[in-house]
């Protein structure tokens, strides 16, 4: 008597060991008999190569599929022939078995059987080969032909298409998991462990950063090995950054609407494998070799003193909504993994990507935390930036800072010690949570981004907002023991204009994305300096370069953790595209010819000089918020604000229209002690920021603040070898050129 699963199996796809031929790419081949399967163990989840009973080598397979009626492990040989093995052991909702003789490099997937009842959220379909959520490597590309959909994708009535089950086999069209043997203990690795306050983050795309680099061998460009190459590492070290934040490197898939337009998901915010390094970035092969290549990249960066932070997407998956493909979780246990609406056919969507992982569910929470610990303990990474983190912090509906996800992270002995960065919003109701995440977390501070952009384009009505953002955003983060480094300060990120485009384009130009320029934000807070796009007008070009110097100098002098975007330090452009998520081409790649041009080389040198200045001076990277109060008998405060008249700002000055702000940072009043318990003492600095379109006079504060001032940075100068070093007496009225930052050291 056959099982219900076998009665529903597609024609030509027999159960394992039937001896009947199977169809692979249209060619019918004999199916080998099923190998022996032993009970194995329900933990750990995934495919783990090990020594079994009697010293027999093999692989233990374990899959959580709570509501399933049957689970078949599917093994694929070099010719693509499939062997199916029924997993009959079920422990705590985990199906498991140990298969002797299955060695590293073996490709595999699952078929999971159960009810097809989309109206209650049940979407089991054994015709679809499913990727193991715990697969540590993935072999093959995700294309999206009709066969990979659990429903009939092209059903004439699309309003009910998701309710009609597709019986076609998807195995020939989907990637497979790969068994990986991992016995690396990382004993030879030395993590940099850079304190948060000392960190300078550099956001980059593995492929885009290396694809056009002339110093990287062509066969390594676009890969983990390319990023590990000395030519890539040398640039990071010379610049002085302490951490790279990699755009998603979890295995991801491309959306159907992009593939139909001949494009791909370049950024990778469409994860489908939370344990597997994206195979497309591997130079060494995809049968598990990508795992070792990723580790070698991490080691190379650690050796150079650079931490590795991953941008991770645990809020949704590549399976999208009810009309999306069936690739993994949807076919394993749709109701267990995803948030569903009251109408269980539909998905709750707090991400704008069609679905939201149901993090309140223990098994989903386990998947995420197991993945995070894996990347820390076995892949060597140093932290994570969580895409749309507010979606992870939702309990049943609302964002809850006591949510299970945040509670588990806070007590986890591995994860609470690494760097945790929240993108503190999602698109759902109440999703904007900047300043709300608990201690341990830092946050992308978009209020910093907006204020700095508005100040330098002359759009702020007064300087109150700039005062908060320059000094660490205490209005957002001075609670619950949080520190100034809770604020990750940025002017640009991967999402939006590059820094050069921010001063070159008034509006977005996303026509290459094929969406009639409707995609991407219209709230860019940009200023094109008098001409839209590239121009031969040298006055406009000079003004743009000055604005870039102003923006970078402001960022690197601000209290908090600065984040740069790869290529901004030498004028990278995306030609006005502020949503280059699908531009895997010269629009999205870093142009390494730019640093050879004198103007852009000077910008890169200034950036490195500012980062070095920040590293040398603890007053620029404080570990505690400013008090604004006098700490010594002479009445000097740790932070003071000055008008252009050289007087301390009053309440009225903060509310008055102004384009000029003076910020005095005292190096004598830095809280905390060094590693030997001695007080931390530094130089004092005066930063003058003038965003006006005409020069202005500025009276340098006199005693007791200073007797003399030495110019350290003057952004009005293209090259910084001339004006810096000029000494002014305290009380002097100096001329600050239009749109300029002056940094002066108290002498």
């Amino acid at each position: 008597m056959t099982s219900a699963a076998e009665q529903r199996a597609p024609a030509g796809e027999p159960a394992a060991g039937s001896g009947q031929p199977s169809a692979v790419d249209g060619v019918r081949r004999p199916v080998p008999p099923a190998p022996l399967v032993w009970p194995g163990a329900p933990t750990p989840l995934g495919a783990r190569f090990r020594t079994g009973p009697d010293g027999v080598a093999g692989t233990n397979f374990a899959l959580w599929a709570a509501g399933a009626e049957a689970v078949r492990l599917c093994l694929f040989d070099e010719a693509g022939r499939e062997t199916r093995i029924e997993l009959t052991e079920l422990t705590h909702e985990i199906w498991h078995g140990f298969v002797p003789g299955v060695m590293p490099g073996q490709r595999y997937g699952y078929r999971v059987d159960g009810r097809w009842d989309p109206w209650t959220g049940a979407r089991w379909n054994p015709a679809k080969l499913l990727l193991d959520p715990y697969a540590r490597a993935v072999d093959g590309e995700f294309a999206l032909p009709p066969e990979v959909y659990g429903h009939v994708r092209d059903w004439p009535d699309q309003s009910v298409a998701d309710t009609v089950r597709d019986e076609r086999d998807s195995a020939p069209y989907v990637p497979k998991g790969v068994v990986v043997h991992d016995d690396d203990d990382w004993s030879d690795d030395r993590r940099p462990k850079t304190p948060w306050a000392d960190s300078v983050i550099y956001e980059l795309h593995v492929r885009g950063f290396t694809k056009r680099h002339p110093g990287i061998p062509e066969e390594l460009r676009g890969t983990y090995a390319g990023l590990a190459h000395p030519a890539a590492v040398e640039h990071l070290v010379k610049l002085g950054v302490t951490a790279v934040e990699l755009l998603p490197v979890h295995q991801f898939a491309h959306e159907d609407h992009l593939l139909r337009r001949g494009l791909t998901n370049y950024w990778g915010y469409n994860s489908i494998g939370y344990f597997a390094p994206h195979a497309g970035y591997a130079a060494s092969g995809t049968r598990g070799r990508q795992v070792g290549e990723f580790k070698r990249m991490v080691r190379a960066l650690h050796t150079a003193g650079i931490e590795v932070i991953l941008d991770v997407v645990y809020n949704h998956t590549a399976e999208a909504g009810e009309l999306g493909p069936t690739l993994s979780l949807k076919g394993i246990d749709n109701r267990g993994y995803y948030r569903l609406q009251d109408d269980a056919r539909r998905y709750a969507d707090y991400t704008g990507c069609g679905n939201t992982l149901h993090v309140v569910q223990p098994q989903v929470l386990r998947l995420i935390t197991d993945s995070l610990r894996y990347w820390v303990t076995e892949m060597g990474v140093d932290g994570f930036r969580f895409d749309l983190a507010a979606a992870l912090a939702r309990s049943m509906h609302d964002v809850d800072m006591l949510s299970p996800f945040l509670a588990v992270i806070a007590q986890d002995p591995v994860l609470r010690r690494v760097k945790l960065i929240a993108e503190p919003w999602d698109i759902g109701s109440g999703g904007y949570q900047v300043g709300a995440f608990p201690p341990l977390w830092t946050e992308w501070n978009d209020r910093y981004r907006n204020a700095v952009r508005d100040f330098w384009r002359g759009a702020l009505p007064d300087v109150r907002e700039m005062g908060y953002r320059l000094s660490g955003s205490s209005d957002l983060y001075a609670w619950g023991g949080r520190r100034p480094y809770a604020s990750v300060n940025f002017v640009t990120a991967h999402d939006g204009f590059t820094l050069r485009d921010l001063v070159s384009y008034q509006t977005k130009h996303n026509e290459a994305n094929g969406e009639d320029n409707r995609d991407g934000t219209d709230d860019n807070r940009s200023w094109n300096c008098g001409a839209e796009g590239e121009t031969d007008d040298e006055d406009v070009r000079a003004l743009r370069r000055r604005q870039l110097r102003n923006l970078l100098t402001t960022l690197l002098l601000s209290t908090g953790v600065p984040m740069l975007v790869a290529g901004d330090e030498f004028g990278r452009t995306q030609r006005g595209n502020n949503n280059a998520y699908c531009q895997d081409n010269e629009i999205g790649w870093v142009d390494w010819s730019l640093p050879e041009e004198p103007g852009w080389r000077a910008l890169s040198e200034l950036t490195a000089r500012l980062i070095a200045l920040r590293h040398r001076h603890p007053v620029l990277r404080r570990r505690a918020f400013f008090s604004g109060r006098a700490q010594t008998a002479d009445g000097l405060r740790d932070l003071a604000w000055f008008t252009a008249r050289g007087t301390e700002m009053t309440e009225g000055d903060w509310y008055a229209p102004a384009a000029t702000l003076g910020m005095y940072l005292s190096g004598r009043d830095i809280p905390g002690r060094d590693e030997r318990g001695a007080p931390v003492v530094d130089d004092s600095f005066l930063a003058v920021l003038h965003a006006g379109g005409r020069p202005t006079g500025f009276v340098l504060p006199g005693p007791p603040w200073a007797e003399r001032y030495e110019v350290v940075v003057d952004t009005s100068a293209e090259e910084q070898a001339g004006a810096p070093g000029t000494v002014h007496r305290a009380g002097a009225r100096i001329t600050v050129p239009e749109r300029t930052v002056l940094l002066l050291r108290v002498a």
Side-chain angles (χ1 to χ4, degrees):
M1 182 176 180
T2 58
S3 69
E6 288 167 347
Q7 290 172 356
R8 290 198 297 268
E13 292 297 331
S18 67
Q20 298 300 313
S22 66
V24 180
D25 298 329
V27 179
R28 299 181 69 80
R29 300 181 177 90
V31 176
L36 179 68
V37 57
W38 296 340
T43 58
L45 291 168
R48 301 300 293 268
F49 174 75
R50 63 179 177 83
T51 301
D54 302 323
V56 176
T59 300
N60 192 84
F61 295 89
L63 178 75
W64 182 86
E69 296 172 1
V71 172
R72 290 187 177 88
L73 169 67
C74 306
L75 305 178
F76 293 85
D77 66 14
E78 293 300 322
R81 291 174 297 190
E82 176 181 350
T83 300
R84 300 183 189 174
I85 303 170
E86 188 107 23
L87 297 182
T88 58
E89 299 294 327
L90 181 60
T91 305
H92 300 148
E93 301 179 328
I94 297 171
W95 302 76
H96 55 91
F98 178 86
V99 185
V102 170
M103 306 299 285
Q106 173 67 57
R107 297 184 303 152
Y108 73 101
Y110 290 104
R111 296 181 188 272
V112 182
D113 203 354
R115 291 185 305 116
W116 177 264
D117 186 12
W119 295 268
T120 63
R123 294 183 177 273
W124 284 283
N125 185 343
K128 306 307 167 184
L129 186 76
L130 306 173
L131 182 68
D132 179 5
Y134 280 73
R136 301 198 170 194
V138 176
D139 179 58
E141 285 283 344
F142 279 100
L144 294 179
E147 289 84 354
V148 306
Y149 290 75
H151 65 282
V152 179
R153 186 187 71 179
D154 301 322
W155 192 257
D157 185 354
Q158 284 292 293
S159 67
V160 297
D162 70 290
T163 69
V164 184
R165 191 165 83 167
D166 188 299
E167 302 289 344
R168 290 172 290 185
D169 181 22
S170 68
Y173 309 100
V174 294
K176 281 74 176 175
V178 180
V179 176
V180 175
H181 181 41
D182 190 353
D183 59 356
D184 193 336
D185 63 4
W186 286 90
S187 60
D188 61 336
D189 181 62
R190 295 293 179 267
R191 294 177 184 262
K193 297 182 180 179
T194 306
W196 258 126
D198 300 339
S199 296
V200 177
I201 298 173
Y202 190 76
E203 188 191 43
L204 67 82
H205 189 288
V206 169
R207 178 170 169 83
F209 184 74
T210 60
K211 187 62 179 173
R212 301 178 68 186
H213 198 301
I216 299 174
E218 188 170 355
E219 66 274 12
L220 301 183
R221 295 176 190 172
T223 70
Y224 307 118
L227 184 53
H229 191 273
V233 176
E234 179 186 11
H235 178 77
L236 301 172
V237 171
K238 183 178 179 181
L239 193 59
V241 299
T242 68
V244 291
E245 182 176 302
L246 307 182
L247 267 67
V249 295
H250 287 166
Q251 185 70 42
F252 61 85
H254 307 298
E255 294 92 331
D256 181 66
H257 69 91
L258 291 176
L259 295 173
R260 289 171 184 258
R261 297 202 301 268
L263 299 169
T264 59
N265 188 320
Y266 168 59
W267 284 349
Y269 289 91
N270 207 36
S271 300
I272 195 62
Y274 290 129
F275 290 77
H278 186 64
Y281 300 158
S284 55
T286 60
R287 291 292 187 89
R289 293 181 289 271
Q290 62 265 52
V291 177
E293 184 176 330
F294 184 93
K295 291 180 180 181
R296 290 189 292 274
M297 175 197 74
V298 172
R299 278 189 169 87
L301 291 166
H302 282 180
T303 299
I306 297 169
E307 294 184 305
V308 178
I309 298 171
L310 302 188
D311 195 334
V312 290
V313 189
Y314 294 111
N315 54 74
H316 77 281
T317 75
E319 293 185 300
E322 60 271 13
L323 295 177
T326 298
L327 306 173
S328 182
L329 306 181
K330 185 182 288 187
I332 294 170
D333 196 317
N334 185 57
R335 296 177 298 187
Y337 280 108
Y338 293 116
R339 290 180 181 265
L340 304 180
Q341 298 183 25
D342 292 337
D343 174 5
R345 273 181 64 191
R346 315 298 181 192
Y347 293 75
D349 184 8
Y350 297 112
T351 66
C353 301
N355 64 51
T356 306
L357 280 178
H358 202 348
V359 181
V360 174
Q361 295 279 13
Q363 183 53 38
V364 180
L365 191 57
R366 179 181 180 182
L367 171 68
I368 295 172
T369 53
D370 283 353
S371 168
L372 291 169
R373 282 189 294 268
Y374 170 74
W375 287 96
V376 173
T377 60
E378 299 191 43
M379 300 295 274
V381 306
D382 305 285
F384 305 94
R385 178 266 187 188
F386 291 82
D387 181 66
L388 300 181
L392 299 172
R394 289 183 181 271
S395 290
M396 294 310 295
H397 298 288
D398 296 333
V399 178
D400 178 6
M401 291 304 159
L402 298 176
S403 67
F405 172 74
L406 294 178
V408 166
I409 295 293
Q411 60 77 44
D412 189 282
V414 172
L415 301 180
R416 69 188 182 200
R417 295 201 302 266
V418 302
K419 288 183 166 64
L420 303 171
I421 307 171
E423 183 183 35
W425 51 77
D426 64 20
I427 69 166
S429 175
Y432 186 76
Q433 294 289 324
V434 172
F437 275 72
L440 288 184
W441 288 82
T442 65
E443 299 175 13
W444 271 24
N445 187 352
D446 67 330
R447 288 186 59 179
Y448 178 93
R449 174 198 66 194
N450 294 347
V452 172
R453 289 185 178 192
D454 282 347
F455 178 79
W456 285 110
R457 70 188 180 107
L460 281 182
D462 51 52
V463 292
R464 283 176 295 157
E465 186 76 1
M466 276 297 282
Y468 276 121
R469 303 308 146 229
L470 290 169
S471 59
S473 296
S474 60
D475 58 329
L476 299 175
Y477 301 111
W479 63 273
R482 303 187 83 182
R483 300 298 183 93
Y485 46 76
S487 177
V488 174
N489 299 330
F490 66 103
V491 179
T492 58
H494 66 274
D495 189 0
F497 280 147
T498 67
L499 203 65
R500 176 175 171 181
D501 289 355
L502 188 68
V503 300
S504 303
Y505 294 90
Q506 206 74 18
T507 60
K508 65 188 180 185
H509 296 266
N510 298 355
E511 291 80 7
N513 295 356
E515 300 177 40
D516 298 322
N517 207 33
R518 296 190 304 269
D519 64 303
T521 184
D522 293 312
D523 183 20
N524 295 294
R525 302 170 189 252
S526 59
W527 177 47
N528 64 17
C529 298
E532 186 70 0
E534 296 303 307
T535 178
D536 294 328
D537 187 321
E538 187 49 46
D539 290 338
V540 172
R541 290 156 64 99
L543 175 57
R544 288 174 177 176
R545 291 193 298 271
R546 179 182 292 200
Q547 287 289 78
L548 293 181
R549 294 193 293 273
N550 290 333
L551 291 164
L552 285 168
T553 302
T554 303
L555 174 64
L556 291 166
L557 295 182
S558 297
T559 300
V561 179
M563 184 185 78
L564 301 164
V565 179
D568 274 356
E569 71 273 21
F570 49 73
R572 175 177 166 255
T573 177
Q574 292 179 169
R575 306 171 194 167
N577 192 319
N578 75 349
N579 190 35
Y581 78 104
C582 56
Q583 297 299 324
D584 188 6
N585 50 46
E586 293 186 358
I587 293 176
W589 302 338
V590 172
D591 181 359
W592 289 96
S593 70
L594 292 171
E596 302 304 316
E597 300 178 18
W600 300 126
R601 183 172 61 249
L603 184 67
S604 185
E605 291 171 351
L606 173 63
T607 306
R609 185 165 176 264
L610 288 165
I611 293 174
L613 189 73
R614 185 181 181 90
H615 288 324
R616 286 197 305 272
H617 292 286
V619 72
L620 300 177
R621 43 186 174 83
R622 287 173 57 99
R623 287 164 165 76
F625 286 104
F626 295 98
S627 70
R629 297 187 297 271
Q631 305 292 324
T632 57
D634 57 14
L636 293 184
R637 290 181 292 283
D638 58 358
L639 173 67
W641 302 97
F642 289 90
T643 67
R645 302 183 301 275
T647 59
E648 289 192 67
M649 292 186 68
T650 65
E651 186 75 11
D653 290 326
W654 284 111
Y655 287 85
T660 309
L661 181 63
M663 178 176 67
Y664 184 98
L665 305 171
S666 174
R668 295 189 299 170
D669 306 303
I670 301 173
R673 297 174 180 269
D674 65 18
E675 293 178 349
R676 295 177 176 83
V680 178
V681 180
D682 193 15
D683 293 330
S684 297
F685 289 91
L686 175 68
V688 179
L689 293 82
H690 175 53
R694 295 182 178 179
T696 188
F698 192 96
V699 177
L700 299 175
W705 301 101
E707 294 182 358
R708 290 175 295 123
Y709 294 89
E710 178 189 10
V711 176
V712 178
V713 175
D714 178 357
T715 63
S716 69
E718 186 92 45
E719 301 284 346
Q720 292 294 304
T726 302
V727 176
H728 300 282
R729 62 178 176 81
R733 185 178 188 275
I734 65 171
T735 298
V736 181
E738 69 277 8
R739 300 187 177 93
T740 293
V741 179
L742 291 181
L743 181 67
L744 305 102
R745 180 189 290 112
V746 172

